Amino acid sequence: MDKSWMGRYRELVAQLVRHSNVCARIMHKEHEIYPNIKLSAQQWQTLEYIIEYENDRLNMSKYAQRLGIPQSSFSKCIKKLVELGLVNKYKSSNNKKDVILKASKKGREIYNHHSRILYQYIFYRTFEILKPLSDQDIELTAEAIKALNDSLFSTIETESDDKLIKIT
């Protein structure tokens, strides 16, 4: 089969593939985002998501699921963020099993500082290119990427490494 099945979306698919590969290369590499604070892209995204959705009082597995991060990797991210004093863990008086995450004051300060840098050096050009698009166009593009992510994620959920091995 040739690449014509993608039609006019070929360049978009090519750039999504390149984007995912670039992200895979940098996802776990730590960078100094603040004096004496090094975080990987995944740790930063986790902190950002906690700040953005902390009023939803999500438990750790919900955060991991929404971010598309395996639970074990998410737990490692949280451990690092807690050790650095950027995130605090809480339990609800109504449900002592679930761990609720909140950014600390230090976490918010570092987030505000570094997000300005990210905007200036990483996202500014992208946002400028997208400026002519309407809010509806942006929403549709985000919805299309979400549908792609959901389709890819569903293949991960259905695959299993658990195989039967005959012993007798």
Side-chain angles (χ1 to χ4, degrees), residues 1 18 22 26 33 43 50 54-55 70-71 74 77 88-89 94-95 97 109 121 141 152 160-161 164:
M1 175 185 278
R18 182 171 182 256
V22 168
I26 67 167
I33 64 161
Q43 292 160 346
I50 289 167
E54 79 177 357
N55 290 333
Q71 182 65 46
F74 186 79
C77 282
N88 296 315
K89 292 177 167 182
N94 295 333
N95 182 346
K97 180 181 172 192
E109 288 171 1
Y121 294 104
T141 304
L152 293 170
S160 174
D161 292 342
L164 293 178

Side-chain angles (χ1 to χ4, degrees), residues 10 13 45 74-75 96 107 111 121 131 137 141 144-145 148:
R10 177 64 189 117
V13 171
Q45 291 164 5
F74 186 79
S75 294
K96 298 197 190 306
Y111 176 79
Y121 294 104
K131 222 179 219 179
D137 292 336
T141 304
I145 294 170
L148 175 61

Side-chain angles (χ1 to χ4, degrees), residues 4 13 24 46-47 51 59 63 90 95 123 141-142 146 154:
S4 65
V13 171
T46 299
L47 175 63
I51 290 171
N59 63 31
Y63 277 116
Y90 297 90
N95 182 346
F123 288 99
T141 304
K146 180 186 181 303
S154 70

Side-chain angles (χ1 to χ4, degrees), residues 1-149:
M1 175 185 278
D2 64 24
K3 66 181 181 178
S4 65
W5 64 272
M6 293 182 223
R8 67 187 189 130
Y9 307 106
R10 177 64 189 117
E11 184 57 24
L12 177 62
V13 171
Q15 292 308 318
L16 285 169
V17 167
R18 182 171 182 256
H19 177 73
S20 66
N21 290 327
V22 168
C23 287
R25 288 178 69 179
I26 67 167
M27 188 57 59
H28 300 290
K29 184 176 180 185
E30 292 188 352
H31 299 278
E32 189 167 63
I33 64 161
Y34 197 78
N36 301 314
I37 302 287
K38 285 186 172 187
L39 292 181
S40 68
Q42 191 172 71
Q43 292 160 346
W44 171 260
Q45 291 164 5
T46 299
L47 175 63
E48 181 173 59
Y49 208 83
I50 289 167
I51 290 171
E52 187 172 356
Y53 293 100
E54 79 177 357
N55 290 333
D56 292 355
R57 296 182 73 167
L58 303 173
N59 63 31
M60 286 182 53
S61 59
K62 280 283 186 205
Y63 277 116
Q65 181 184 21
R66 286 188 178 184
L67 284 165
I69 299 173
Q71 182 65 46
S72 60
S73 298
F74 186 79
S75 294
K76 289 176 189 172
C77 282
I78 295 305
K79 182 178 182 197
K80 169 89 183 237
L81 295 172
V82 169
E83 287 171 357
L84 291 171
L86 306 179
V87 168
N88 296 315
K89 292 177 167 182
Y90 297 90
K91 290 193 181 211
S92 168
S93 60
N94 295 333
N95 182 346
K96 298 197 190 306
K97 180 181 172 192
D98 286 345
V99 175
I100 307 298
L101 304 168
K102 301 267 186 194
S104 66
K105 182 180 178 189
K106 178 181 177 182
R108 287 178 188 289
E109 288 171 1
I110 289 172
Y111 176 79
N112 289 332
H113 167 80
H114 190 62
S115 61
R116 287 190 293 271
I117 293 168
L118 285 176
Y119 175 77
Q120 183 180 359
Y121 294 104
I122 305 292
F123 288 99
Y124 178 78
R125 184 167 178 255
T126 301
F127 293 165
E128 285 297 307
I129 291 169
L130 294 172
K131 222 179 219 179
L133 299 181
S134 70
D135 290 347
Q136 183 181 13
D137 292 336
I138 299 286
E139 191 176 311
L140 284 171
T141 304
E143 191 176 317
I145 294 170
K146 180 186 181 303
L148 175 61
N149 289 337

